[in-house]
Amino acid sequence: MGDLKTFGKVGLRSIFTFLIIMLLVSFISLTVCSLIFKIPFGSSTNSIKDTLMLFKNFIPNDFLTPFLNRNILQVNLMGIILGLTLLIIGEEAHWFYHFLNSVNRLLIKIFSYISKVIPFYVFI
Protein backbone atom coordinates (compact mmCIF):
# COMPACT_ATOMS: atom_id res chain seq x y z
CA MET A 1 0.00 0.00 0.00
CA GLY A 2 2.99 2.24 0.44
CA ASP A 3 1.59 4.28 3.32
CA LEU A 4 1.34 3.15 6.93
CA LYS A 5 -1.73 5.29 7.60
CA THR A 6 -3.64 3.82 4.65
CA PHE A 7 -2.52 0.34 5.65
CA GLY A 8 -3.78 0.93 9.18
CA LYS A 9 -7.24 2.02 8.05
CA VAL A 10 -7.72 -0.69 5.43
CA GLY A 11 -6.00 -3.38 7.47
CA LEU A 12 -8.01 -2.70 10.62
CA ARG A 13 -11.26 -2.68 8.67
CA SER A 14 -10.33 -5.91 6.87
CA ILE A 15 -9.30 -7.70 10.05
CA PHE A 16 -12.44 -6.56 11.88
CA THR A 17 -14.69 -7.67 9.01
CA PHE A 18 -12.90 -11.02 8.77
CA LEU A 19 -13.20 -11.65 12.52
CA ILE A 20 -16.90 -10.78 12.60
CA ILE A 21 -17.69 -12.99 9.61
CA MET A 22 -15.64 -15.91 10.98
CA LEU A 23 -17.28 -15.52 14.41
CA LEU A 24 -20.73 -15.71 12.84
CA VAL A 25 -19.78 -18.67 10.65
CA SER A 26 -18.30 -20.53 13.62
CA PHE A 27 -21.37 -19.93 15.79
CA ILE A 28 -23.71 -21.06 13.03
CA SER A 29 -21.63 -24.16 12.25
CA LEU A 30 -21.36 -24.97 15.96
CA THR A 31 -25.11 -24.71 16.36
CA VAL A 32 -25.85 -26.83 13.30
CA CYS A 33 -23.27 -29.50 14.21
CA SER A 34 -24.44 -29.68 17.81
CA LEU A 35 -28.03 -30.17 16.66
CA ILE A 36 -27.09 -32.80 14.07
CA PHE A 37 -24.68 -34.78 16.27
CA LYS A 38 -26.58 -34.19 19.53
CA ILE A 39 -23.66 -32.46 21.24
CA PRO A 40 -24.87 -30.49 24.26
CA PHE A 41 -23.86 -26.84 24.48
CA GLY A 42 -21.14 -26.19 27.00
CA SER A 43 -19.41 -29.53 26.64
CA SER A 44 -15.75 -28.96 25.96
CA THR A 45 -13.66 -31.17 23.77
CA ASN A 46 -10.47 -29.21 24.44
CA SER A 47 -9.22 -28.03 27.74
CA ILE A 48 -8.11 -24.51 28.52
CA LYS A 49 -4.56 -25.81 28.74
CA ASP A 50 -4.62 -26.85 25.07
CA THR A 51 -5.97 -23.45 24.05
CA LEU A 52 -3.25 -21.65 25.97
CA MET A 53 -0.62 -23.88 24.33
CA LEU A 54 -1.89 -22.68 20.94
CA PHE A 55 -1.18 -19.07 21.90
CA LYS A 56 2.16 -20.03 23.44
CA ASN A 57 3.23 -21.81 20.25
CA PHE A 58 2.15 -18.86 18.08
CA ILE A 59 5.47 -17.04 18.54
CA PRO A 60 8.43 -18.88 16.94
CA ASN A 61 11.68 -19.51 18.81
CA ASP A 62 13.85 -18.96 15.73
CA PHE A 63 13.54 -18.22 12.02
CA LEU A 64 13.96 -21.71 10.54
CA THR A 65 11.86 -23.90 12.85
CA PRO A 66 8.37 -22.80 11.61
CA PHE A 67 9.30 -23.76 8.05
CA LEU A 68 10.77 -27.11 9.09
CA ASN A 69 7.82 -27.98 11.35
CA ARG A 70 5.28 -26.62 8.83
CA ASN A 71 3.68 -24.44 11.50
CA ILE A 72 1.50 -22.18 9.36
CA LEU A 73 0.56 -19.85 12.22
CA GLN A 74 4.19 -19.03 12.91
CA VAL A 75 5.00 -18.65 9.22
CA ASN A 76 2.08 -16.22 8.82
CA LEU A 77 3.20 -14.24 11.86
CA MET A 78 6.69 -13.95 10.42
CA GLY A 79 5.24 -12.80 7.09
CA ILE A 80 3.15 -10.14 8.82
CA ILE A 81 6.17 -8.93 10.79
CA LEU A 82 8.29 -8.81 7.62
CA GLY A 83 5.60 -6.89 5.71
CA LEU A 84 5.09 -4.37 8.50
CA THR A 85 8.85 -3.92 8.85
CA LEU A 86 9.21 -3.20 5.14
CA LEU A 87 6.28 -0.79 5.30
CA ILE A 88 7.77 1.07 8.27
CA ILE A 89 11.26 1.25 6.75
CA GLY A 90 9.78 2.60 3.54
CA GLU A 91 11.93 3.65 0.60
CA GLU A 92 15.19 2.39 2.13
CA ALA A 93 13.94 -1.20 1.80
CA HIS A 94 13.03 -0.72 -1.87
CA TRP A 95 15.76 -3.11 -3.04
CA PHE A 96 14.56 -5.86 -0.69
CA TYR A 97 10.99 -5.44 -1.91
CA HIS A 98 12.15 -5.83 -5.52
CA PHE A 99 14.22 -8.87 -4.54
CA LEU A 100 11.18 -10.54 -2.93
CA ASN A 101 9.05 -9.62 -5.93
CA SER A 102 11.61 -11.18 -8.30
CA VAL A 103 11.79 -14.37 -6.23
CA ASN A 104 7.99 -14.52 -6.21
CA ARG A 105 7.81 -14.17 -10.00
CA LEU A 106 10.50 -16.85 -10.39
CA LEU A 107 8.64 -19.29 -8.14
CA ILE A 108 5.36 -18.65 -9.95
CA LYS A 109 7.09 -19.36 -13.27
CA ILE A 110 8.67 -22.58 -11.93
CA PHE A 111 5.39 -23.84 -10.47
CA SER A 112 3.53 -23.02 -13.69
CA TYR A 113 5.95 -25.26 -15.59
CA ILE A 114 5.65 -27.97 -12.95
CA SER A 115 1.85 -27.83 -13.12
CA LYS A 116 2.03 -28.37 -16.89
CA VAL A 117 4.24 -31.48 -16.47
CA ILE A 118 2.31 -33.10 -13.60
CA PRO A 119 -0.44 -34.67 -15.80
CA PHE A 120 2.20 -36.45 -17.90
CA TYR A 121 3.96 -37.66 -14.76
CA VAL A 122 0.71 -38.98 -13.32
CA PHE A 123 -0.16 -40.67 -16.60
CA ILE A 124 3.24 -42.42 -16.75
Side-chain angles (χ1 to χ4, degrees), residues 2-64:
D3 182 18
L4 194 57
K5 191 174 184 180
T6 306
F7 174 74
K9 289 179 185 177
V10 174
L12 187 63
R13 191 178 318 136
S14 300
I15 290 171
F16 182 72
T17 305
F18 173 77
L19 289 176
I20 293 297
I21 290 172
M22 287 298 111
L23 184 67
L24 289 174
V25 168
S26 65
F27 280 144
I28 291 170
S29 63
L30 172 71
T31 304
V32 170
C33 288
S34 67
L35 292 174
I36 291 173
F37 298 111
K38 307 286 190 243
I39 300 172
F41 284 105
S43 65
S44 63
T45 56
N46 293 334
S47 67
I48 294 175
K49 184 178 180 181
D50 293 337
T51 306
L52 292 176
M53 286 300 290
L54 175 71
F55 290 115
K56 180 184 173 200
N57 292 332
F58 190 68
I59 299 173
N61 293 331
D62 57 66
F63 180 77
L64 195 57

Side-chain angles (χ1 to χ4, degrees), residues 81-100:
I81 290 172
L82 176 66
L84 286 175
T85 304
L86 290 175
L87 191 60
I88 290 171
I89 292 173
E91 195 62 35
E92 296 171 2
H94 189 65
W95 64 272
F96 190 67
Y97 169 77
H98 284 295
F99 170 74
L100 290 179

Side-chain angles (χ1 to χ4, degrees), residues 103-118:
V103 169
N104 184 37
R105 281 188 278 141
L106 175 69
L107 289 175
I108 288 173
K109 187 65 98 171
I110 289 171
F111 286 122
S112 70
Y113 287 132
I114 290 174
S115 67
K116 290 177 184 176
V117 176
I118 284 178

